[in-house]
Amino acid sequence: MIDHMLILIAFAFLLAGFVKGTLGLGLPTVSMGLLAVTMPPGQAIAIVIVPAIVTNIWQTFVGPYLRDIVKRLWPLMLGTVVGIWLNAGLLTGPYAPYGTVVLGALLVIYAVVGLSKFSFKVARRDEKWIGGIVGVLTGLISAATGVQVIPSMPFMQAIGMEKDELVQALGVFFTTATVALAFNLTSSGLLTAATALPGAVAMVASFVGMFIGQSVRSRMQPEVFRRWFLIAMILLGLYLAGSALLKLHG
C-alpha cells in the first residue's frame, strides 16, 4: 500500500468521520463514495468495515433506548443479515464492476430523498413485516455496495423514531449490518492482513473527524450543513456512476 493511497484514505475518513460527528451517520456512505473513485468497491469495503463497526458500536451504547430499539427493529436487522448472506460473493464475482455504478446511483437517490423532505409513515402494526422486507432489500444492496442507508434509513424515519433514538437506532442497525458484511468479506478473501494498516489509518482519521464534527455540531446549524452535504453526495454519485459506466463501455 503506497503512501499517497494512505493519505487518500486518511482524508476520506477524516471527512467521513466529520460528517458522522455532525449528523450521526454517513461514515460508510461518504468513505465508500470517496474511496470508490480510486479502487474497486470490494477493496474499499475491506478498509471501511473495521472503523464502521467500531464507531457504530460506540454509537449503539450512547443512549437509553437499546432494548426498545431491538424490540422494534429485530425484523429489519434479521432481514438485512439474510440479504447480505444471499448476495455474498457479489463484490468479487463477474458483476463486481457494476458495484460502482450502483453505489453512485444509490448516493444520488439517498441525497435526493434527503433534500426532497419526502416522508411517509408506517403504522406500528405493520412495522414488523415491512421491516423484514426492507431489511432483505437493504442487505442485498449492502452486499453489492457496502452502503446500508437505502431503504433502511427512510424506513426508520417512517416508523416515527425521535432524533436521539434514531441516532442510537442507526448505531445498532449499522453494527449488525457491518458485522454481517465482515463475514462476507472474510469468506470471499477481501478482509486480509493487507488491510490492517489502511484500516488503522482509517480508524484514527475517523475518530479525529468525529471529534471535530461533534464540536462543530454545537456551533453550526445542522440543517445548513446537511443540505450542502447532500448536494455534494449527488455530485459524487453522478461522477462515480458516470465514470464507471464509461470504463465498462470504453
Side-chain angles (χ1 to χ4, degrees), residues 13 31 36 58 108 113 119 124 160 166 177 186 193 205 207 223 227 237:
F13 280 89
S31 52
W58 175 77
V108 173
V113 169
S119 65
R124 193 89 184 211
L166 180 63
T186 307
F207 276 106
E223 202 47 47
R227 193 181 311 123

Side-chain angles (χ1 to χ4, degrees), residues 168-197:
Q168 191 178 359
L170 290 169
V172 178
F173 171 71
F174 290 146
T175 299
T176 307
T178 44
V179 168
L181 204 53
F183 279 103
N184 263 18
L185 295 177
T186 307
S187 60
S188 59
L190 287 167
L191 202 60
T192 62
T195 58
L197 177 60

Side-chain angles (χ1 to χ4, degrees), residues 143-157:
T145 64
V147 172
Q148 299 127 6
V149 289
I150 298 288
S152 62
M153 181 74 187
F155 170 77
M156 281 189 263
Q157 289 169 320

Side-chain angles (χ1 to χ4, degrees), residues 5-186:
M5 189 58 79
L6 288 177
I7 292 165
L8 172 77
I9 289 164
F11 169 75
F13 280 89
L14 193 66
L15 187 59
F18 176 75
V19 171
K20 188 175 177 75
T22 311
L23 301 178
L25 76 157
L27 189 126
T29 314
V30 176
S31 52
M32 278 297 301
L34 293 171
L35 293 180
V37 173
T38 56
M39 62 182 76
Q43 193 184 343
I45 294 174
I47 296 168
V48 169
I49 203 84
V50 175
I53 289 172
V54 173
T55 53
N56 284 321
I57 287 172
W58 175 77
Q59 193 171 317
T60 291
F61 294 104
V62 178
Y65 306 104
L66 187 57
R67 186 179 291 182
D68 185 48
I69 288 165
V70 172
K71 208 156 73 175
R72 289 183 75 182
L73 295 185
W74 71 261
L76 174 73
M77 294 190 285
L78 181 63
T80 302
V81 171
V82 170
I84 287 171
W85 176 74
L86 287 173
N87 230 358
L90 198 71
L91 286 164
T92 50
Y95 298 105
Y98 292 95
T100 309
V101 180
V102 176
L103 176 61
L106 280 177
L107 292 180
V108 173
I109 293 166
Y110 167 66
V112 168
V113 169
L115 285 169
S116 68
K117 296 281 190 289
F118 170 76
S119 65
F120 58 95
K121 292 281 171 272
V122 172
R124 193 89 184 211
R125 65 178 183 277
D126 299 323
E127 269 181 25
K128 298 281 192 284
W129 69 269
I130 292 176
I133 295 166
V134 168
V136 172
L137 289 172
T138 302
L140 292 170
I141 290 166
S142 176
T145 64
V147 172
Q148 299 127 6
V149 289
I150 298 288
S152 62
M153 181 74 187
F155 170 77
M156 281 189 263
Q157 289 169 320
I159 64 174
M161 286 190 152
E162 295 304 314
K163 186 184 159 201
D164 290 339
E165 188 180 9
L166 180 63
V167 169
Q168 191 178 359
L170 290 169
V172 178
F173 171 71
F174 290 146
T175 299
T176 307
T178 44
V179 168
L181 204 53
F183 279 103
N184 263 18
L185 295 177
T186 307

